[in-house]
Amino acid sequence: MFINMKCRQINLKVVYYGPALSGKTTNLEQIHARIDPSRRGELISLKTAEDRTLFFDFLQLEIGKINGFTPNIQLYTVPGQSYYEASRKVVLKGADGVVFVVDSSSKRRKENIESWNNLHQHLEELNIPLSRLPLVIQFNKQDLEDALSPRILTRALKARAYPAFSASANVGSGVFDTLKAIINGVISSVQRDMA
């Protein structure tokens, strides 16, 4: 969180984290396509030749005032590929909230667990206590024939303590439920800190 007292603005950082090809960028593309252009910035993506996220995607949203301050929500994605681990950690630094995007395909169970454990490891290394960080889980790709149920995936991740949403980000289903939940979590956290 960065507070600009002069401009009465609060910059809040939300990071979409998860395994490669889980739908992190697709979430931001859906948000960008459906939010009023006057309330959002441009979607910035740094991609490889294969159209995969290289360093991060970025989208800024503006919402109503909180305690006389205007919050700017900055949405980032991390690259999912394991060889970009250092980039994931850099993007995660300073996060005010995290959306963990799960690929619900039964074939991706191992990658989901590895990415979930990687998230916890990076948060620990960055001294970001998970107990104070708003975190929402999105079970994406629930429209696939081989999709595991959110119940099974929650158990596999040992993640019962977090708000979770089913989604099919490619058609926009569940994208805004997830976004609303993480923004509410981050705003509640900010209000606690400002009280």
Side-chain angles (χ1 to χ4, degrees):
M1 171 175 50
F2 172 77
I3 300 176
N4 182 329
M5 296 301 279
K6 185 177 179 182
C7 297
R8 308 283 295 166
Q9 286 186 329
I10 304 172
N11 292 330
L12 301 168
K13 182 178 184 179
V14 172
V15 177
Y16 281 66
Y17 199 102
L21 300 172
S22 60
K24 301 175 296 292
T25 298
T26 305
N27 269 273
L28 265 60
E29 289 169 345
Q30 288 288 343
I31 293 165
H32 182 264
R34 296 177 185 205
I35 294 274
D36 179 345
S38 68
R39 300 190 61 88
R40 59 138 171 95
E42 288 303 310
L43 177 61
I44 299 168
S45 295
L46 301 173
K47 296 186 180 286
T48 65
E50 298 83 34
D51 207 30
R52 306 275 297 275
T53 300
L54 176 62
F55 189 60
F56 64 83
D57 299 308
F58 172 77
L59 175 64
Q60 181 167 296
L61 305 175
E62 294 178 6
I63 59 174
K65 292 195 181 297
I66 300 171
N67 296 339
F69 287 85
T70 302
N72 290 317
I73 309 292
Q74 299 169 342
L75 305 179
Y76 288 82
T77 67
V78 297
Q81 304 90 308
S82 60
Y83 48 88
Y84 291 125
E85 186 166 335
S87 296
R88 290 193 305 238
K89 188 174 176 181
V90 168
V91 174
L92 193 58
K93 187 175 184 175
D96 297 300
V98 173
V99 172
F100 187 80
V101 181
V102 174
D103 184 329
S104 297
S105 171
S106 61
K107 298 176 189 87
R108 302 293 310 278
R109 186 178 189 150
K110 181 181 174 200
E111 289 91 341
N112 288 315
I113 293 169
E114 286 174 358
S115 186
W116 178 253
N117 292 336
N118 181 263
L119 169 63
H120 287 265
Q121 177 186 342
H122 285 321
L123 291 173
E124 187 175 312
E125 291 169 1
L126 292 167
N127 294 316
I128 301 173
L130 195 53
S131 61
R132 298 210 21 97
L133 182 73
L135 188 143
V136 172
I137 299 173
Q138 181 187 82
F139 297 110
N140 192 25
K141 302 186 183 183
Q142 284 292 302
D143 55 324
L144 297 177
E145 281 187 30
D146 72 333
L148 296 172
S149 72
R151 184 179 52 78
I152 290 170
L153 291 164
T154 299
R155 201 168 38 230
L157 296 175
K158 299 178 183 134
R160 288 185 180 89
Y162 304 102
F165 298 88
S166 294
S168 297
N170 61 331
V171 295
S173 173
V175 169
F176 283 91
D177 294 333
T178 304
L179 178 64
K180 183 179 177 183
I182 194 61
I183 288 176
N184 285 340
V186 169
I187 297 299
S188 294
S189 179
V190 167
Q191 288 175 323
R192 276 192 308 272
D193 290 347
M194 292 178 81

